[in-house]
Amino acid sequence: MKTETAAGQPPAKKEWLHRLGSTAYWFEAIKKWAWILVRFVLIFGISFVILYPILLKISISFKSMSDLYDPTVIWIPRTFTLENFKLVFTAMNYPGVLMNTLWLSSAVMLLQTITCVLAGYGFARIKFRGSGLLFAAVIFTILVPTQTIMIPLYLNFKNFDVMGLIELFRGSPANLINTYWPFLISAALGMGVKTGLYVYIFRQFFRGIPREIEEAAYVDGAGYFKTFGRIILPNAIPSMVTVMLFSFVWQWNDSFFTNMYLNEPKVMSSMMSSSGFTIATYLTGGGQAAASYTQDPFFMSMMMNTSVLMAILPLIIIYLFVQRHFVESVERSGLVG
């Protein structure tokens, strides 16, 4: 038989009624649901800002010319077509450009990772007079716009020489413009895209590794380079994955240096910048008819969106396979925490 209070109600029911009428209970419930709502709005808004351009490009790339001129067609085309993809694939020599970009981005990624991991470890462990000032100069390279050094860089690679040796043997400096050598040399010598950021990531990560690990290796007879290769590098895999992915993606998307060093659209970023005119020339064979195509904003928009979508498609595929490793590497690297 259940016990009852003086009012004739079970204790559990009375306690529930008391909590229901409590102001603090309702305040906590409202605060909880308000935070859920605010978090949903923030996540939805950020996701919309990120995904909207991609969704728009997907919608436009599957449209025909009649759909572009139809004001009633907004998102879903009346007739889906793959002609835009076939046109970009053929006119822009997509397989060749894709292989060139993969090769260049992979080579730059490897060279930058090797250079930055050595520099980051040196700044984290080796202390010498002026090391702080030198590291400040590295950080300063992140803040300086690349446009301020574009003319010296261009002239340096247009008349490339190493202490006069190339001119001594060839009779004139080497012209590296319209080749991949400027990207490879810059990456190997610590002047690539976002190199300062990568050095900072490695430095922060190495500073978090206890010195006792290295001291124990020294006691066991390991040398400086053996300790670095056998002890430090295996522990630096998370930061290396982060830098490798960042380096690959930024080189893939870089348009400033590719347009400065390359005269022809050999890689994805330069392909996107000239896709409209190139496709118009391909359709008409050049001449005045190509100019009429380029003056059509709808045609240019459709070709640009299709070429951009095809350019970022390999990155999306790569991210689908490595997203788990990327998130884990960012969490364990010096970017957070």
Side-chain angles (χ1 to χ4, degrees), residues 11-169:
K13 185 176 181 180
K14 182 179 180 180
E15 182 182 355
W16 180 79
L17 291 174
H18 176 72
R19 289 184 58 189
L20 189 62
S22 173
T23 305
Y25 172 78
W26 282 106
F27 178 76
E28 290 296 330
I30 293 174
K31 184 171 68 172
K32 175 183 177 182
W33 285 103
W35 169 240
I36 293 175
L37 179 62
V38 171
R39 185 170 56 184
F40 171 78
V41 172
L42 287 175
I43 295 176
F44 180 82
I46 295 174
S47 302
F48 178 79
V49 171
I50 296 174
L51 295 178
Y52 175 77
I54 299 178
L55 296 177
L56 182 62
K57 287 174 173 53
I58 294 174
S59 175
I60 293 178
S61 61
F62 284 101
K63 290 181 180 179
S64 61
M65 289 296 294
S66 59
D67 290 334
L68 286 177
Y69 289 106
D70 190 349
T72 61
V73 177
I74 305 298
W75 285 99
I76 302 177
R78 293 185 184 276
T79 54
F80 285 86
T81 179
L82 296 176
E83 290 300 321
N84 298 329
F85 293 97
K86 295 179 181 178
L87 186 59
V88 173
F89 187 89
T90 305
M92 303 303 299
N93 187 23
Y94 185 79
V97 172
L98 178 62
M99 294 305 299
N100 291 338
T101 311
L102 282 173
W103 183 91
L104 179 61
S105 299
S106 301
V108 169
M109 174 190 68
L110 293 176
L111 292 174
Q112 274 194 318
T113 303
I114 295 172
T115 302
C116 294
V117 72
L118 294 173
Y121 182 73
F123 282 119
R125 287 293 189 259
I126 303 175
K127 299 300 178 183
F128 54 91
R129 182 177 297 179
S131 61
L133 183 62
L134 187 60
F135 181 70
V138 173
I139 298 300
F140 187 68
T141 61
I142 306 176
L143 308 176
V144 176
T146 52
Q147 289 81 356
T148 59
I149 58 174
M150 62 178 297
I151 296 178
L153 285 175
Y154 182 84
L155 294 177
N156 184 35
F157 288 113
K158 183 175 177 58
N159 303 288
F160 185 77
D161 204 346
V162 181
M163 296 184 294
L165 296 177
I166 296 179
E167 186 175 3
L168 177 63
F169 289 102

Side-chain angles (χ1 to χ4, degrees), residues 228-239:
F228 176 75
R230 302 287 293 273
I231 304 299
I232 300 301
L233 280 184
N235 287 285
I237 291 178
S239 59

Side-chain angles (χ1 to χ4, degrees), residues 256-278:
F256 180 80
F257 289 105
T258 52
N259 290 329
M260 184 172 70
Y261 294 142
L262 301 178
N263 299 328
E264 301 174 3
K266 299 180 179 180
V267 294
M268 286 294 179
S269 55
S270 57
M271 181 196 76
M272 290 186 294
S273 61
S274 61
S275 60
F277 179 78
T278 304

Side-chain angles (χ1 to χ4, degrees), residues 181-317:
W181 282 110
F183 304 97
L184 303 179
I185 294 174
S186 298
L189 298 181
M191 285 295 293
V193 181
K194 308 294 183 180
T195 297
L197 176 62
Y198 306 149
V199 173
Y200 174 77
I201 292 175
F202 281 124
R203 176 182 179 269
Q204 295 302 107
F205 184 85
F206 288 135
R207 290 185 64 183
I209 297 179
R211 289 183 177 270
E212 289 77 8
I213 298 178
E214 298 166 88
E215 294 173 356
Y218 297 149
V219 171
D220 291 339
Y224 199 82
F225 291 100
K226 186 175 181 180
T227 302
F228 176 75
R230 302 287 293 273
I231 304 299
I232 300 301
L233 280 184
N235 287 285
I237 291 178
S239 59
M240 293 179 66
V241 172
T242 302
V243 170
M244 291 176 71
L245 290 174
F246 281 168
S247 177
F248 185 88
V249 172
W250 266 320
Q251 179 60 45
W252 186 287
N253 294 327
D254 174 65
S255 59
F256 180 80
F257 289 105
T258 52
N259 290 329
M260 184 172 70
Y261 294 142
L262 301 178
N263 299 328
E264 301 174 3
K266 299 180 179 180
V267 294
M268 286 294 179
S269 55
S270 57
M271 181 196 76
M272 290 186 294
S273 61
S274 61
S275 60
F277 179 78
T278 304
I279 295 173
T281 305
Y282 172 79
L283 289 174
T284 60
Q288 191 66 28
S292 63
Y293 269 102
T294 58
Q295 293 174 0
D296 187 349
F298 294 101
F299 174 81
M300 294 295 291
S301 173
M302 183 173 61
M303 292 299 102
M304 286 293 295
N305 282 279
T306 305
S307 60
V308 169
L309 184 62
M310 293 184 67
I312 66 175
L313 183 61
L315 296 179
I316 296 176
I317 296 174

